[in-house]
Amino acid sequence: MAAEREAGRLLCTSSSRRCCPPPPLLLLLPLLLLLGRPASGAAATKSGSPPQSAGASVRTFTPFYFLVEPVDTLSVRGSSVILNCSAYSEPSPNIEWKKDGTFLNLESDDRRQLLPDGSLFISNVVHSKHNKPDEGFYQCVATVDNLGTIVSRTAKLTVAGLPRFTSQPEPSSVYVGNSAILNCEVNADLVPFVRWEQNRQPLLLDDRIVKLPSGTLVISNATEGDGGLYRCIVESGGPPKFSDEAELKVLQDPEEIVDLVFLMRPSSMMKVTGQSAVLPCVVSGLPAPVVRWMKNEEVLDTESSGRLVLLAGGCLEISDVTEDDAGTYFCIADNGNKTVEAQAELTVQVPPGFLKQPANIYAHESMDIVFECEVTGKPTPTVKWVKNGDVVIPSDYFKIVKEHNLQVLGLVKSDEGFYQCIAENDVGNAQAGAQLIILEHAPATTGPLPSAPRDVVASLVSTRFIKLTWRTPASDPHGDNLTYSVFYTKEGVARERVENTSQPGEMQVTIQNLMPATVYIFKVMAQNKHGSGESSAPLRVETQPEVQLPGPAPNIRAYATSPTSITVTWETPLSGNGEIQNYKLYYMEKGTDKEQDIDVSSHSYTINGLKKYTEYSFRVVAYNKHGPGVSTQDVAVRTLSDVPSAAPQNLSLEVRNSKSIVIHWQPPSSTTQNGQITGYKIRYRKASRKSDVTETLVTGTQLSQLIEGLDRGTEYNFRVAALTVNGTGPATDWLSAETFESDLDETRVPEVPSSLHVRPLVTSIVVSWTPPENQNIVVRGYAIGYGIGSPHAQTIKVDYKQRYYTIENLDPSSHYVITLKAFNNVGEGIPLYESAVTRPHTVPDPTPMMPPVGVQASILSHDTIRITWADNSLPKHQKITDSRYYTVRWKTNIPANTKYKNANATTLSYLVTGLKPNTLYEFSVMVTKGRRSSTWSMTAHGATFELVPTSPPKDVTVVSKEGKPRTIIVNWQPPSEANGKITGYIIYYSTDVNAEIHDWVIEPVVGNRLTHQIQELTLDTPYYFKIQARNSKGMGPMSEAVQFRTPKALGSAGKGSRLPDLGSDYKPPMSGSNSPHGSPTSPLDSNMLLVIIVSVGVITIVVVVVIAVFCTRRTTSHQKKKRAACKSVNGSHKYKGNCKDVKPPDLWIHHERLELKPIDKSPDPNPVMTDTPIPRNSQDITPVDNSMDSNIHQRRNSYRGHESEDSMSTLAGRRGMRPKMMMPFDSQPPQQSVRNTPSTDTMPASSSQTCCTDHQDPEGATSSSYLASSQEEDSGQSLPTAHVRPSHPLKSFAVPAIPPPGPPLYDPALPSTPLLSQQALNHHIHSVKTASIGTLGRSRPPMPVVVPSAPEVQETTRMLEDSESSYEPDELTKEMAHLEGLMKDLNAITTA
């Protein structure tokens, strides 16, 4: 027993933790008991150390398990039996035994006694026919006081009965070398006690002589020594019982073949894993056969396999059977002359086993726990649970969940103990257990406990759940750190359950899985870090009654009342709390999925109009006020049979000879048989009138009949009708056949037909022939073979009377080979060949359809265009009623090799999506109907709308301007996805790449220019640049930041350094000897500029004189017209001008000869606009205060156009350090471009009050020059502008009319950024616009834009700046020559 105990310990250590004593470390761990009630989610602690809590006593799981369990045992009457059982526990358990579920009283039992280790000893087993006190099922029960009880697996004790022979050996003979069997079959429990004797001597078994598990003796490869008397003996403890003796004779080899015969075939059997299976297979015959085995089409190798052994005679033994051994086995015997085989099925069963055993659990009272148990076995085991030796009966608080798991709800102290999962199937049982410990709650620590939660209410009550809410306890109004437990129980039940909140501070919980119409008592308790507080007052809540729908109608029955009707009956459902209102009867023909229903108010219904002898399924659903209930199970019934409603099919006659004809037919279709066909009735008669009709009955399923005893050379008529149990159905039409005049020869095949003719058509060939010349040979028909190039592709057989046949469904213009053969019952005769070519297919091509007309493209968005069209081949209402469809194709010509895209439509419109923005597409449509199609329609064009650029400008580069270290040049390329016409760019630059975008300095670039200069940057400073493109739809994304460091200073003021401050009274000279940034100007440039300015001044004076002369000569009518013209031009403008009666000079009249075009549509990408006014002197230009200049110095060129630095220097010299204008930057940057629109004031200041000159406001007029010019530029009207194409901007000039105002309109032909407007109009802008753009590296307050009062500086000055920046001094010399020419022109005008 010590060895068994040690083995049990080893088994425990290797296989399961549940039965091992806990390690000493676990005993030292303090018990973690949650303060107060357990928190949510801590339902139980499984199989580990117990929960710990300071000051709590330690409780651990007690090792309690079986070391040895009883096993199934076979005994014989009168013998002794020991059923082993041993359990481990500290202290030692008390062992008891149960037999058939009842405890044995071993103290008063003389034959049964308990051994010291717990095993059961039974002496002198009693067993008789009517008294079997010891046979049964035994179970060992181990109990430890104050701990619990466990039960072992159940073991079966079987006592072998009295020996009875079901078969005994019989005399037999065997040829030398062959196999023989001697039967001895007894009851199965006595087979182990069977042995054999030969000639009254014990028979020794070896490889040649074996005893099968059934007791049968098999002798293979018989020798003469095997002859003798054989008998079997059963020794089962009592006196042995002998069978009859049988003699086995061994015969000599007859030297002749003896057929193979199975002496014992393999039989199907069922085995348990681990057992051995013997499949018998004994075959006798000469030559002696060789036996081999196969399993599921796979040959078994019995020589190399350790578990497969071929026994004597060919029997197969499989040791240690596994599940994989199950299958079909084939025994195949072969002796070279013949092969025989037999098969048997081996089924393998598996005793129960555990995939997951229950685990030990710690828990608190009122908690819910689940013991998990997963089992396997074959057949699938059943599971029951035992608690402390008693079977657990499922109830409201003990539930079986997820097939085999045990759930215990609302734990109480009495639930503590040992729980066992017992699995059982037909071949065994097994048990596994676990311990449940109910922990005591830890005492509260020192500190205030929460009071009872307030205002506990059931906020939501349903049939199976209740939602509780409450307020925080009065002791803790905030309650953020409080957790809550809700204790609830059924009214009148002591078992309490608990539900915890999911997180601290939560003051609601939903109790699930309640019973309908049941009263529950709820209490809520709060816990803090010190423990559980007071419980709330009990809340009594009753769940809602559940809406009860009717159950299934009981006793549903269906029976056929006729071949076309079935009656269905049922009873009132047993469940349902509402009165049954009606029933719905569903029925469906078997084999279909279309279910029909009928409303019924009673308990029976007869359905008529059903198909005869057809199976239907029926079900019933009851309805009450709450709706439909549970459906009944389907019941199936077949309608009654009837006589067939159709005749047999495919009746044919075959003349055998001069006195017999064979009739062939097929049964009626299954839908017309109307029952089981029981036979056929054949009626026949001579074709002559008034002949008698003869009837013949054919029973069963026979489909042919030989009619004999007919007259020679006589025509007979035949017809056949089908029979059912109900009667005879309709008969076929009469079919005639004529017997032969004489019995022709049918011992050979027919001869070749005498002729064969073919006539080809387009898709068919007509074949005609004549019979063989020898009429004495029977011809039963003709076989026609045909195919393209070969006659063997298809074969058709026709009757012997037929002389022509049409072969259909051929291909046109194809060469076919045709063969004709006569045949009879002997075979086919010699073929006759012919060939033919089918005619060509001459179907005219279908006429094309009319193409669609009126194709229109309607632009819907930047990527969608709707195409519509009309179809003249449709009726007037243009409704499509046939299967025609339309194909729309489209493409764009950029790039030129773009392929068409196509789409089909079935309506007269199609929505083309996925197009590119701002792209011109062409569309065309065609219609197709069947094989007819139209040509493509005329094309329609449509350009998609623009979209904001979706990619930034690319290839951004920054370089320093040669000789000007403070000036850089930014170059870039347009965005890859401009999605429209680029109207400008915005350059952002900053010294801090991480600065907010509104702190970057902005340089707008108007038009589609790809380069820009930025001046007055700080030397030796890194700058970061970003560029953003814009079109009419908005701004695109910014490019990546590009870094550029300005060069270091060259060390002198002449190299780009700033000049010293000259004070506020400094006025730069007109000659512009100094650049605005202190850069020196060469003497040649200064002299040239002086000459140009003087020349322009002279020209201006002359023009003024001319205009003054014309103004004095104007008549009153001219004055009225002028006022009207001024009003029409300026009427909608915000600025009002003084329109005087000034007669224009002839110079204005000459403008009629110039070309007037809207500037927005000018083909010249950079038209030059000239203007004449020039400032009278330098005193008219008021310089800006230097203090303000110091603030805006580095941003002077933010809104420059294409002017160069030199041109700026010249103009700045005249204007006196003009401050830079600053534009507000918001979410919508200006998308309007700016045009150099000539000023309307063409007169000097001295004449401003005499002819159409606006009053000037030196402060407000230019405060928003950039925006104002943008508004003028982007006018929606086409502005007639004097447009000339000179070779140089100064070769001609024009005085355009005053442009009318309008909405902004950008002209990309003028890419330059305008200077601040110098024309002060006569309206006053009282608000001063400020800048909101941050400067480099720092922020500064908004600064008002101040512009010097220089009203006379006009576009001529701008042109001069352009000329200076664009041409070298030698070019200016040429320009002087042009100016001289202009002077001459002016002289000619004035003299005229």
Side-chain angles (χ1 to χ4, degrees):
M1 294 308 297
E4 292 179 356
R5 187 180 299 274
E6 183 63 23
R9 289 197 183 97
L10 294 176
L11 176 64
C12 170
T13 303
S14 61
S15 62
S16 174
R17 291 182 55 201
R18 69 171 179 82
C19 59
C20 298
L25 179 61
L26 296 180
L27 298 175
L28 300 178
L29 293 176
L31 182 64
L32 176 60
L33 295 178
L34 301 178
L35 299 178
R37 294 294 179 175
S40 175
T45 302
K46 292 185 179 181
S47 299
S49 59
Q52 302 176 9
S53 176
S57 61
V58 177
R59 292 190 61 192
T60 59
F61 296 115
T62 304
F64 189 16
Y65 53 88
F66 284 102
L67 295 173
V68 179
E69 293 185 77
V71 296
D72 295 345
T73 305
L74 175 64
S75 179
V76 294
R77 184 178 57 180
S79 64
S80 298
V81 175
I82 294 180
L83 298 176
N84 293 317
C85 177
S86 177
Y88 171 82
S89 177
E90 293 294 342
S92 297
N94 178 36
I95 303 296
E96 295 179 287
W97 283 87
K98 283 183 177 182
K99 177 182 180 292
D100 298 330
T102 303
F103 280 102
L104 295 175
N105 185 6
L106 301 179
E107 295 180 357
S108 60
D109 197 327
D110 296 336
R111 292 189 307 106
R112 301 188 185 100
Q113 59 179 319
L114 187 67
L115 299 181
D117 65 344
S119 300
L120 178 64
F121 175 74
I122 305 175
S123 62
N124 191 18
V125 173
V126 176
H127 190 80
S128 65
K129 183 176 181 180
H130 301 289
N131 185 23
K132 302 177 181 178
D134 295 330
E135 193 173 59
F137 293 92
Y138 289 81
Q139 191 175 38
C140 178
V141 181
T143 304
V144 176
D145 293 338
N146 300 323
L147 183 63
T149 302
I150 58 176
V151 296
S152 71
R153 69 178 299 274
T154 302
K156 181 181 181 181
L157 174 61
T158 304
V159 181
L162 298 176
R164 290 192 304 274
F165 292 102
T166 57
S167 68
Q168 300 190 44
E170 297 178 354
S172 60
S173 61
V174 59
Y175 290 106
V176 174
N178 236 320
S179 298
I181 64 169
L182 295 170
N183 291 321
C184 180
E185 295 184 6
V186 296
N187 35 330
D189 49 5
L190 292 176
V191 170
F193 306 103
V194 173
R195 65 180 181 85
W196 282 87
E197 289 183 350
Q198 179 186 13
N199 298 324
R200 305 290 177 96
Q201 297 296 323
L203 179 64
L204 299 178
L205 303 179
D206 54 21
D207 294 341
R208 196 175 59 84
I209 303 175
V210 296
K211 185 189 71 169
L212 298 182
S214 62
T216 300
L217 184 68
V218 178
I219 302 174
S220 63
N221 193 17
T223 64
E224 292 184 358
D226 294 328
L229 297 174
Y230 288 84
R231 68 177 181 178
C232 63
I233 303 102
V234 179
E235 297 175 329
S236 58
K241 185 168 185 178
F242 298 92
S243 70
D244 296 339
E245 283 189 331
E247 182 181 6
L248 175 65
K249 294 181 180 180
V250 179
L251 306 178
Q252 295 298 321
D253 188 351
E255 297 183 357
E256 62 181 21
I257 296 175
V258 178
D259 284 343
L260 296 181
V261 177
F262 275 105
L263 299 180
M264 179 175 286
R265 291 175 175 270
S267 57
S268 296
M269 63 180 60
M270 186 178 297
K271 290 293 180 180
V272 180
T273 53
Q275 295 180 347
S276 295
V278 176
L279 296 172
C281 182
V282 182
V283 183
S284 173
L286 291 178
V290 176
V291 176
R292 56 189 175 91
W293 285 85
M294 294 181 64
K295 175 194 172 187
N296 300 335
E297 309 297 331
E298 178 183 353
V299 178
L300 297 179
D301 185 4
T302 57
E303 295 181 358
S304 60
S305 175
R307 294 192 309 113
L308 303 178
V309 178
L310 198 62
L311 302 178
C315 300
L316 178 65
E317 181 182 25
I318 306 173
S319 58
D320 193 15
V321 171
T322 65
E323 281 191 89
D324 295 335
D325 293 327
T328 303
Y329 289 80
F330 297 87
C331 172
I332 303 172
D334 184 7
N335 65 355
N337 297 321
K338 188 177 181 180
T339 300
V340 294
E341 70 174 46
Q343 69 181 48
E345 189 79 18
L346 174 61
T347 303
V348 179
Q349 294 182 319
V350 183
F354 291 95
L355 298 176
K356 178 182 286 188
Q357 297 186 3
N360 296 332
I361 295 178
Y362 286 106
H364 290 276
E365 286 189 76
S366 302
M367 292 174 58
D368 300 341
I369 63 167
V370 174
F371 284 109
E372 295 182 344
C373 181
E374 292 186 20
V375 299
T376 181
K378 187 177 181 181
T380 302
T382 58
V383 172
K384 66 179 180 180
W385 284 86
V386 173
K387 179 208 168 188
N388 291 332
D390 297 326
V391 176
V392 175
I393 300 175
S395 64
D396 292 342
Y397 294 94
F398 288 86
K399 298 182 178 181
I400 304 298
V401 296
K402 293 184 179 179
E403 295 186 358
H404 305 310
N405 297 341
L406 175 65
Q407 182 182 40
V408 184
L409 305 177
L411 291 176
V412 295
K413 187 64 177 178
S414 61
D415 292 332
E416 195 173 65
F418 285 88
Y419 291 79
Q420 291 176 278
C421 175
I422 299 179
E424 183 177 6
N425 64 7
D426 295 341
V427 293
N429 63 88
Q431 62 83 25
Q435 184 180 4
L436 170 63
I437 293 180
I438 304 296
L439 299 174
E440 299 292 340
H441 291 287
T445 60
T446 304
L449 298 175
S451 59
R454 297 174 292 174
D455 301 337
V456 178
V457 295
S459 59
L460 182 61
V461 178
S462 182
T463 57
R464 293 186 179 271
F465 71 89
I466 292 177
K467 182 178 181 181
L468 295 180
T469 59
W470 58 88
R471 293 173 55 208
T472 56
S475 62
D476 195 348
H478 298 290
D480 295 335
N481 297 321
L482 296 180
T483 59
Y484 299 90
S485 296
V486 178
F487 297 88
Y488 64 99
T489 181
K490 286 184 183 180
E491 190 175 42
V493 177
R495 186 179 290 267
E496 190 176 55
R497 299 181 62 187
V498 63
E499 185 77 23
N500 302 303
T501 55
S502 58
Q503 58 187 5
E506 186 177 11
M507 290 180 292
Q508 65 177 18
V509 71
T510 300
I511 311 297
Q512 304 278 359
N513 302 318
L514 302 179
M515 298 299 295
T518 304
V519 177
Y520 288 87
I521 307 299
F522 296 89
K523 293 184 296 181
V524 183
M525 184 181 297
Q527 296 101 23
N528 61 12
K529 62 182 179 180
H530 302 294
S532 300
E534 299 178 12
S535 174
S536 65
L539 176 67
R540 184 178 183 276
V541 182
E542 182 177 4
T543 54
Q544 297 287 340
E546 191 169 44
V547 174
Q548 294 185 4
L549 298 174
N555 299 329
I556 178 174
R557 294 189 299 271
Y559 53 92
T561 55
S562 74
T564 59
S565 61
I566 292 177
T567 299
V568 184
T569 63
W570 60 90
E571 296 178 4
T572 304
L574 301 178
S575 61
N577 63 349
E579 182 181 356
I580 300 298
Q581 296 178 343
N582 71 314
Y583 299 91
K584 185 163 287 190
L585 173 62
Y586 296 88
Y587 67 97
M588 178 175 61
E589 180 183 347
K590 278 296 183 71
T592 65
D593 55 358
K594 184 179 180 181
E595 191 174 48
Q596 304 179 61
D597 59 86
I598 300 172
D599 289 329
V600 183
S601 58
S602 60
H603 292 91
S604 65
Y605 189 81
T606 300
I607 304 175
N608 298 308
L610 303 178
K611 295 181 180 179
K612 298 178 180 180
Y613 200 68
T614 303
E615 188 175 5
Y616 289 85
S617 63
F618 300 87
R619 65 186 181 93
V620 176
V621 175
Y623 281 72
N624 63 8
K625 61 182 179 180
H626 303 296
V630 182
S631 172
T632 63
Q633 295 292 329
D634 288 355
V635 293
V637 67
R638 186 185 296 272
T639 53
L640 299 179
S641 62
D642 198 0
V643 296
S645 55
Q649 307 176 89
N650 302 328
L651 178 65
S652 63
L653 304 175
E654 177 187 346
V655 180
R656 283 292 180 90
N657 49 47
S658 60
K659 291 189 177 182
S660 62
I661 294 177
V662 178
I663 308 174
H664 300 273
W665 65 89
Q666 293 295 324
S669 62
S670 58
T671 57
T672 60
Q673 292 181 9
N674 301 336
Q676 192 73 31
I677 299 295
T678 58
Y680 297 90
K681 180 182 292 186
I682 302 173
R683 305 179 69 189
Y684 63 95
R685 67 185 181 187
K686 293 181 180 178
S688 60
R689 295 182 178 180
K690 298 181 180 180
S691 59
D692 296 333
V693 176
T694 304
E695 288 187 0
T696 299
L697 291 178
V698 177
T699 59
T701 59
Q702 183 177 334
L703 299 177
S704 64
Q705 178 66 28
L706 175 64
I707 306 298
E708 297 181 307
L710 304 179
D711 296 339
R712 296 175 182 266
T714 304
E715 184 178 2
Y716 286 87
N717 295 334
F718 296 85
R719 67 191 310 177
V720 180
L723 302 176
T724 64
V725 293
N726 304 89
T728 305
T732 62
D733 295 333
W734 290 100
L735 186 64
S736 61
E738 184 178 351
T739 55
F740 296 142
E741 286 287 346
S742 59
D743 291 333
L744 301 179
D745 183 10
E746 200 173 1
T747 60
R748 50 181 176 157
V749 297
E751 294 183 357
V752 63
S754 56
S755 66
L756 174 62
H757 303 280
V758 294
R759 181 166 64 90
L761 301 175
V762 177
T763 58
S764 61
I765 296 177
V766 179
V767 182
S768 59
W769 63 90
T770 55
E773 294 181 356
N774 187 356
Q775 300 289 325
N776 296 322
I777 302 176
V778 175
V779 175
R780 300 200 175 275
Y782 296 91
I784 305 171
Y786 65 94
I788 298 178
S790 171
H792 307 297
Q794 296 191 46
T795 302
I796 298 173
K797 291 187 176 182
V798 298
D799 188 73
Y800 72 97
K801 294 182 178 180
Q802 199 160 335
R803 294 294 180 264
Y804 68 90
Y805 184 80
T806 301
I807 305 174
E808 304 284 352
N809 301 321
L810 304 181
D811 296 332
S813 303
S814 300
H815 184 272
Y816 285 88
V817 178
I818 302 166
T819 180
L820 178 70
K821 294 177 288 186
F823 67 88
N824 57 20
N825 291 335
V826 178
E828 295 179 344
I830 302 173
L832 189 61
Y833 291 91
E834 189 62 80
S835 64
V837 178
T838 52
R839 297 179 184 178
H841 192 60
T842 58
V843 178
D845 294 334
T847 57
M849 300 184 68
M850 293 291 292
V853 297
V855 181
Q856 294 183 355
S858 302
I859 295 87
L860 301 183
S861 67
H862 65 276
D863 64 347
T864 305
I865 295 179
R866 180 181 294 278
I867 308 302
T868 57
W869 60 88
D871 190 348
N872 286 341
S873 61
L874 290 176
K876 290 183 179 181
H877 54 71
Q878 291 285 290
K879 185 176 181 180
I880 301 173
T881 58
D882 49 26
S883 60
R884 71 181 62 199
Y885 65 92
Y886 301 89
T887 303
V888 182
R889 71 175 183 180
W890 64 91
K891 64 170 289 189
T892 178
N893 292 327
I894 302 175
N897 59 349
T898 304
K899 295 182 179 179
Y900 279 101
K901 292 185 178 180
N902 299 280
N904 293 335
T906 56
T907 59
L908 296 177
S909 65
Y910 183 75
L911 199 66
V912 182
T913 59
L915 303 178
K916 295 181 179 179
N918 193 44
T919 305
L920 179 65
Y921 287 87
E922 66 174 37
F923 303 88
S924 54
V925 187
M926 69 178 292
V927 60
T928 302
K929 179 182 178 183
R931 299 173 55 189
R932 301 172 59 199
S933 297
S934 71
T935 58
W936 290 103
S937 67
M938 297 182 67
T939 59
H941 294 81
T944 52
F945 293 147
E946 292 187 358
L947 184 67
V948 294
T950 53
S951 65
K954 58 184 181 180
D955 300 339
V956 180
T957 59
V958 182
V959 296
S960 178
K961 187 169 184 180
E962 185 176 359
K964 298 184 182 298
R966 292 177 180 272
T967 303
I968 58 96
I969 301 174
V970 183
N971 303 305
W972 63 89
Q973 292 297 320
S976 301
E977 299 174 0
N979 299 336
K981 194 173 187 181
I982 297 299
T983 59
Y985 299 89
I986 292 181
I987 301 175
Y988 300 81
Y989 65 95
S990 171
T991 58
D992 183 6
V993 70
N994 297 320
E996 295 294 335
I997 195 62
H998 58 265
D999 291 332
W1000 290 51
V1001 180
I1002 295 178
E1003 287 280 344
V1005 178
V1006 180
N1008 54 3
R1009 293 174 55 227
L1010 302 177
T1011 183
H1012 187 73
Q1013 293 187 15
I1014 300 177
Q1015 302 180 4
E1016 283 302 308
L1017 301 179
T1018 305
L1019 295 177
D1020 194 20
T1021 301
Y1023 287 86
Y1024 299 91
F1025 298 86
K1026 296 182 181 180
I1027 303 182
Q1028 191 177 22
R1030 71 169 179 262
N1031 58 17
S1032 62
K1033 292 297 183 180
M1035 309 299 297
M1038 292 185 185
S1039 65
E1040 295 292 331
V1042 176
Q1043 182 183 5
F1044 180 80
R1045 179 180 288 275
T1046 53
K1048 296 182 180 180
L1050 299 179
S1052 64
K1055 296 299 182 178
S1057 61
R1058 186 184 302 274
L1059 292 177
D1061 190 3
L1062 299 178
S1064 60
D1065 296 332
Y1066 171 73
K1067 297 181 180 179
M1070 289 295 292
S1071 63
S1073 60
N1074 291 325
S1075 68
H1077 308 305
S1079 300
T1081 307
S1082 63
L1084 180 59
D1085 292 343
S1086 301
N1087 295 334
M1088 189 65 67
L1089 281 174
L1090 183 59
V1091 172
I1092 293 173
I1093 293 172
V1094 172
S1095 301
V1096 173
V1098 174
I1099 294 172
T1100 304
I1101 294 172
V1102 174
V1103 172
V1104 169
V1105 172
V1106 173
I1107 293 174
V1109 172
F1110 275 86
C1111 286
T1112 56
R1113 295 180 180 181
R1114 290 178 63 88
T1115 62
T1116 303
S1117 61
H1118 291 160
Q1119 293 175 359
K1120 293 180 179 180
K1121 294 179 180 180
K1122 184 62 180 178
R1123 292 191 186 99
C1126 291
K1127 184 176 181 181
S1128 64
V1129 172
N1130 297 328
S1132 61
H1133 203 280
K1134 293 182 180 180
Y1135 310 138
K1136 296 180 180 180
N1138 263 339
C1139 193
K1140 301 297 183 179
D1141 296 340
V1142 181
K1143 182 177 181 180
D1146 290 343
L1147 176 63
W1148 287 32
I1149 302 173
H1150 286 298
H1151 290 175
E1152 296 175 359
R1153 303 173 184 174
L1154 300 177
E1155 180 181 1
L1156 299 178
K1157 292 185 178 179
I1159 192 165
D1160 285 347
K1161 298 184 179 180
S1162 172
D1164 190 349
N1166 191 10
V1168 178
M1169 310 303 298
T1170 61
D1171 210 348
T1172 56
I1174 298 177
R1176 290 173 292 178
N1177 50 47
S1178 61
Q1179 284 75 16
D1180 293 338
I1181 305 175
T1182 304
V1184 182
D1185 187 5
N1186 287 340
S1187 63
M1188 182 177 295
D1189 178 48
S1190 64
N1191 290 331
I1192 64 172
H1193 194 288
Q1194 56 181 315
R1195 297 189 56 201
R1196 296 183 56 188
N1197 297 321
S1198 295
Y1199 287 84
R1200 275 180 167 265
H1202 63 279
E1203 294 88 356
S1204 67
E1205 183 183 20
D1206 295 336
S1207 64
M1208 283 299 296
S1209 66
T1210 303
L1211 187 59
R1214 297 190 182 99
R1215 298 180 182 176
M1217 305 304 290
R1218 176 175 59 86
K1220 172 184 172 184
M1221 177 193 132
M1222 302 173 64
M1223 181 188 74
F1225 183 79
D1226 53 15
S1227 61
Q1228 292 292 336
Q1231 299 180 12
Q1232 299 86 7
S1233 58
V1234 183
R1235 189 195 317 166
N1236 286 333
T1237 305
S1239 174
T1240 58
D1241 189 1
T1242 60
M1243 299 297 292
S1246 59
S1247 306
S1248 62
Q1249 300 299 323
T1250 59
C1251 182
C1252 296
T1253 304
D1254 293 333
H1255 295 289
Q1256 301 183 0
D1257 186 351
E1259 293 182 0
T1262 59
S1263 64
S1264 186
S1265 62
Y1266 175 76
L1267 296 176
S1269 61
S1270 297
Q1271 292 170 357
E1272 293 177 5
E1273 176 61 24
D1274 294 336
S1275 172
Q1277 305 176 17
S1278 299
L1279 306 180
T1281 306
H1283 187 140
V1284 295
R1285 297 181 176 83
S1287 60
H1288 190 273
L1290 297 179
K1291 289 185 180 180
S1292 63
F1293 63 92
V1295 182
I1298 298 172
L1305 182 64
Y1306 169 68
D1307 186 0
L1310 300 176
S1312 61
T1313 306
L1315 297 172
L1316 295 176
S1317 174
Q1318 304 300 317
Q1319 177 63 47
L1321 304 179
N1322 67 353
H1323 85 293
H1324 296 275
I1325 302 175
H1326 299 287
S1327 62
V1328 179
K1329 294 189 177 179
T1330 62
S1332 62
I1333 305 171
T1335 58
L1336 295 177
R1338 70 182 187 275
S1339 61
R1340 61 185 179 185
M1343 181 189 69
V1345 179
V1346 181
V1347 181
S1349 178
E1352 291 85 10
V1353 179
Q1354 297 296 325
E1355 293 300 332
T1356 303
T1357 306
R1358 194 175 306 163
M1359 297 298 296
L1360 292 177
E1361 294 173 353
D1362 291 344
S1363 66
E1364 185 177 4
S1365 64
S1366 303
Y1367 297 91
E1368 299 298 329
D1370 54 347
E1371 293 178 338
L1372 293 177
T1373 304
K1374 298 179 182 180
E1375 296 306 320
M1376 291 301 299
H1378 290 298
L1379 287 175
E1380 292 176 1
L1382 292 174
M1383 293 297 295
K1384 292 179 182 181
D1385 292 339
L1386 287 174
N1387 291 334
I1389 292 172
T1390 54
T1391 56

